[in-house]
Amino acid sequence: MTRHGETNENADGCLQGHTNSVNEIGLKQTKALAQRLNANNVKIDILISSTMTRAKETAQIFSELLHLPVIQTELIREKESGELEGKKSNSVDWNKLEGTFETRKVPGGESLLEVQQRARLFFEQILTKYDDKTVLMVSHGAFLKVFIGTLLGMSLHDSIFKLQIDHSSLSEIEIKARDQCRILMMNNK
């Protein structure tokens, strides 16, 4: 799995929405990773992308180099920022929001618990639709932290604060069964 390439909003520390595009640095990051996968003859059977623009642009680069169609799903979209879209994340007092760390959300936004529910649904799809396939998922930082942390049995808090997922980095998880997942590679650039 990989996180989309960098966007200008990422570089500026802003919470993003659906239409933010990958910038020049992000394009270079993604092309470098796609070329590395291609040069190392990494076998990818299925390419799945979030429906958000920055992920679709990233997936398109992989599609062209790896000669795979892109399957899009809303299940692996980034955590919805709601009314905070476009604001700098360090300017938000998250503790003023109602609820626990896992359940709080801004108006029009999404909680981490809701992201985790999507992550679990996506995991079930992987198990049922793509058994014995190598899937490359193109997604987003918070979603990937929640997805990986959930597979490893981590709390949402630890998933967000103890896992690092850089732009166009590669993480690999081997899934042998629903309760048998192990990290083979994490945040490799």
Side-chain angles (χ1 to χ4, degrees):
M1 58 200 88
T2 187
R3 182 179 178 190
H4 61 81
E6 181 187 271
T7 68
N8 289 333
E9 292 77 13
N10 288 135
D12 292 339
C14 294
L15 296 166
Q16 297 182 75
H18 300 269
T19 60
N20 306 89
S21 288
V22 174
N23 63 21
E24 285 302 314
I25 292 170
L27 290 172
K28 288 178 186 172
Q29 293 167 331
T30 301
K31 287 177 183 175
L33 177 57
Q35 289 168 349
R36 190 174 91 207
L37 291 175
N38 202 26
N40 290 326
N41 294 316
V42 175
K43 180 185 173 276
I44 308 272
D45 300 310
I46 307 291
L47 175 57
I48 301 177
S49 172
S50 155
T51 57
M52 292 181 153
T53 301
R54 57 196 179 274
K56 291 191 300 186
E57 291 170 345
T58 300
Q60 188 57 42
I61 293 169
F62 288 110
S63 174
E64 291 167 8
L65 278 171
L66 301 174
H67 309 290
L68 289 170
V70 179
I71 300 168
Q72 295 180 21
T73 179
E74 292 187 357
L75 289 176
I76 62 175
R77 293 167 71 102
E78 183 60 290
K79 181 178 180 276
E80 191 67 50
S81 299
E83 291 180 4
L84 294 181
E85 183 179 322
K87 297 197 183 317
K88 294 210 179 231
S89 59
N90 63 6
S91 71
V92 177
D93 186 352
W94 298 102
N95 293 320
K96 286 190 177 181
L97 298 173
E98 288 185 33
T100 65
F101 177 80
E102 295 82 5
T103 62
R104 64 184 172 208
K105 60 182 174 180
V106 300
E110 186 177 31
S111 71
L112 285 170
L113 198 56
E114 290 169 321
V115 173
Q116 186 179 53
Q117 290 168 346
R118 285 193 288 111
R120 287 181 172 143
L121 284 172
F122 181 70
F123 180 65
E124 289 301 319
Q125 277 190 3
I126 294 293
L127 289 175
T128 57
K129 287 185 175 181
Y130 307 116
D131 188 35
D132 294 328
K133 301 282 185 201
T134 301
V135 176
L136 176 59
M137 173 188 4
V138 181
S139 188
H140 308 269
F143 179 86
L144 288 170
K145 288 178 179 185
V146 169
F147 182 75
I148 293 168
T150 298
L151 293 181
L152 298 177
M154 297 172 71
S155 70
L156 286 169
H157 185 274
D158 285 352
S159 298
I160 294 298
F161 292 108
K162 291 184 178 180
L163 296 178
Q164 178 69 33
I165 306 290
D166 294 326
H167 296 102
S168 296
S169 65
L170 191 63
S171 298
E172 185 177 1
I173 294 182
E174 180 182 56
I175 301 170
K176 290 190 175 189
R178 185 169 275 101
D179 61 346
Q180 293 181 359
C181 303
R182 68 183 181 128
I183 292 180
L184 301 178
M185 179 183 354
M186 183 80 178
N187 201 40
N188 186 293
K189 294 185 273 183

